[in-house]
Amino acid sequence: MAVLTIVAMPHLDIVTNVTILSGVAVLSALLQAVAQCTVKKINVFLLPSIIASLVIFLGYGLFIVLYIMKDPKDVKTAIWVSLAIGGSILVSFNWWENYFGDISVKSKSNFLKNLFEDLTKCQNMLHIFSSLLRIVVTASVLGAYVPLPKMDWDIVTSIPSRETRIVAIIIGVQLISSALCHWFALAACKMHAIRQCFILPLYLSSLAVIALFIVPVVIYYQDYKLGLNTTENINFTRYCTAAVNETNQSPSGNVFPQLVLDVTQTLCFLDLAKTANIGLLTGAAASWWIGLVLATVHIWYLNIYHIQKTQDLFVRRLYEGAFIEQSLLLNTRFHIQTKKGRKKHCREDATTAMVYLCATMWHETYEEMMNIMISVFRLDKYRPNVEPKFEDFAFEAHLYFDDAFENVKGSQGRHLNPYAKDLVKIITEVYGIFENLDKTFFEVQQQIPDQSIIETPYGARLVVQMPHGNKIVVHFKDKEKIRNKKRWSQIMYLYYLLGWKLMNKYNKHWKMGCNENDLSKEIQREKHNTYLLALDGDTDFQPAAVMLLIDRLKMYPRVGAVCGRIHPTGSGPAVWF
């Protein structure tokens, strides 16, 4: 990379410098083809990989003809061309491990398998040492290059302030834009906007850069011709000799015009007055770009999970600042795509999950309790408890109401307080809304839901069946019988749902003489597919948000808890934030 960017590129034109970066996909394309040949199935991306390799080599061929044909006896130009080609091919080794994972699995060589396992285990330390080595190598290349063309270090250290400012601005733009590009690329992938916000922008970025450089050059060239007020035909070669050389001798103070003329000067080496040279330059640039597109076409079919980890998206944690778009595209994890394999990859776990919605309440307002009840009834409509049942998940809602009873003068016993009575009213009201949701105005009737009221050791329990068959269980706690506060409500539902309700079912089977080992496996399976959705009394949520959390937990069995993104309601600075 240091040889390519520091030594070779200053002697090449701007179009070649931008597009030869796409040539670093050459080894990736070859390894893709090799990896897919190891699979004895229909390889949907084998042909694009082979074509990508050929097209990139065609670009190198056109590049050699373009520069060597100008002056076959020019040894220096031949050296710069050789270094550019050699450097870009060596840079392409950066992403070899992306493809050796699939190759090592199919390979009979234990060396490859052990090597790949070792690389995976010590990746962090490897990146630390390789980063230090890169710094040393880059400094060494720069230190060796300055004396080789017989340049004096005084020339390097005594650059005029104007040129220093231009260089500093360009480096600053490059560093900041590369870091931002990497960050936004990760965000785009994790947000599932991989096609429109990741692949397309990275494909088009090099074309945009060329347009950004070439369009001002063309405009300045046309302005120069108009400013001469002559009928004589001024070609690009004459423009280089007259305008660029004169400006270099008496530079202006503006940065942008000088930058445009610097770009023009890189094109002056090539005689663009000849159609053949323009054709060779365009052909080489197009070949490299098409090769990159074909070498990364598999990314269009990449399967990404919700909020996927960075190390699962990309092979290497680092990115190449000089090759930002190429490094992001080629660093994206490669999986051998087959027609059968893709369908299999999209299948989900068929085990039905049991979700218990557990909400803790105390003195929530009428509007706050209305929010959570509408959310629960909405989930009932989304996943009705009817035949045939949905295979992804079933649910029950359990509401734990703290300090729900009070003493009333003139009556015996304890009665529900106004907050608990409001909850019962809200359940009735929301039940009527969802029961009549699909009816016309004249068919609407207020209905009382089917319910059971049970006295319990901790107070009372109200069981309501929602319109689509799922249940809401409201546990009214009496603080004179059981400890109040929300923390103890959470402990209560953990013991009740996991310690008693889940285990009591299997305890009955055990007493009936069922095999203990079979029951143990069945308990373990049900535990792994039982989830508690902990809610507050004023939470509003959508069924799709619940699905995302369940998908996340199914994906990673060792994860104990997962949280959705919570947005506050109301107004003010906290909500703005």
Side-chain angles (χ1 to χ4, degrees), residues 383-445:
R383 279 292 175 270
N385 187 18
V386 293
E387 297 294 340
K389 292 187 176 181
F390 287 89
E391 293 185 352
D392 51 1
F393 78 94
F395 79 96
E396 279 184 16
H398 290 262
L399 312 179
Y400 290 80
F401 209 104
D402 260 306
D403 193 12
F405 294 89
E406 64 180 1
N407 294 318
V408 179
K409 290 182 180 180
S411 63
Q412 294 181 348
R414 287 166 66 76
H415 299 265
L416 289 180
N417 64 23
Y419 293 98
K421 289 178 181 177
D422 281 345
L423 178 62
V424 177
K425 289 179 186 175
I426 288 167
I427 291 174
T428 307
E429 185 180 341
V430 177
Y431 182 93
I433 292 169
F434 277 83
E435 180 68 22
N436 297 302
L437 205 59
D438 300 321
K439 296 180 181 178
T440 63
F441 177 78
F442 296 102
E443 293 176 332
V444 170
Q445 294 179 353

Side-chain angles (χ1 to χ4, degrees), residues 288-360:
W288 285 322
W289 185 80
I290 293 169
L292 176 68
V293 171
L294 291 174
T296 55
V297 72
H298 63 273
I299 306 175
W300 289 87
Y301 299 91
L302 190 66
N303 290 300
I304 295 180
Y305 297 112
H306 306 298
I307 319 174
Q308 193 157 356
K309 293 180 180 178
T310 304
Q311 58 263 38
D312 295 335
L313 283 170
F314 299 105
V315 177
R316 302 175 76 241
R317 310 274 175 87
L318 308 175
Y319 67 92
E320 300 291 333
F323 312 86
I324 184 63
E325 63 266 32
Q326 290 82 8
S327 71
L328 287 171
L329 289 167
L330 298 172
N331 198 29
T332 307
R333 283 201 178 272
F334 171 78
H335 297 288
I336 295 173
Q337 298 279 354
T338 62
K339 290 181 180 178
K340 186 176 179 181
R342 272 208 307 233
K343 289 178 183 175
K344 187 176 179 182
H345 190 72
C346 292
R347 287 177 58 193
E348 295 182 359
D349 187 5
T351 307
T352 304
M354 184 63 195
V355 181
Y356 292 106
L357 279 65
C358 301
T360 53

Side-chain angles (χ1 to χ4, degrees), residues 498-554:
L498 301 180
W500 182 82
K501 189 170 183 179
L502 193 147
M503 297 301 294
N504 192 46
K505 178 173 63 176
Y506 293 100
N507 190 44
K508 289 178 183 177
H509 292 308
W510 178 72
K511 286 181 178 179
M512 291 167 61
C514 293
N515 185 282
E516 191 170 341
N517 288 332
D518 292 340
L519 285 176
S520 179
K521 291 177 182 177
E522 190 68 19
I523 290 170
Q524 198 67 19
R525 185 192 63 79
E526 187 159 353
K527 279 182 180 178
H528 277 300
N529 289 283
T530 300
Y531 304 102
L532 301 182
L533 177 59
L535 300 165
D536 212 352
D538 57 353
T539 309
D540 178 27
F541 61 89
Q542 296 291 333
V546 179
M547 291 298 299
L548 287 176
L549 296 179
I550 295 170
D551 286 349
R552 192 69 179 163
L553 285 163
K554 280 187 173 183

Side-chain angles (χ1 to χ4, degrees), residues 370-389:
M370 180 66 80
N371 275 338
I372 191 167
M373 292 315 306
I374 289 173
S375 298
V376 172
F377 276 82
R378 194 190 289 136
L379 190 62
D380 173 60
K381 188 175 185 298
Y382 182 75
R383 279 292 175 270
N385 187 18
V386 293
E387 297 294 340
K389 292 187 176 181

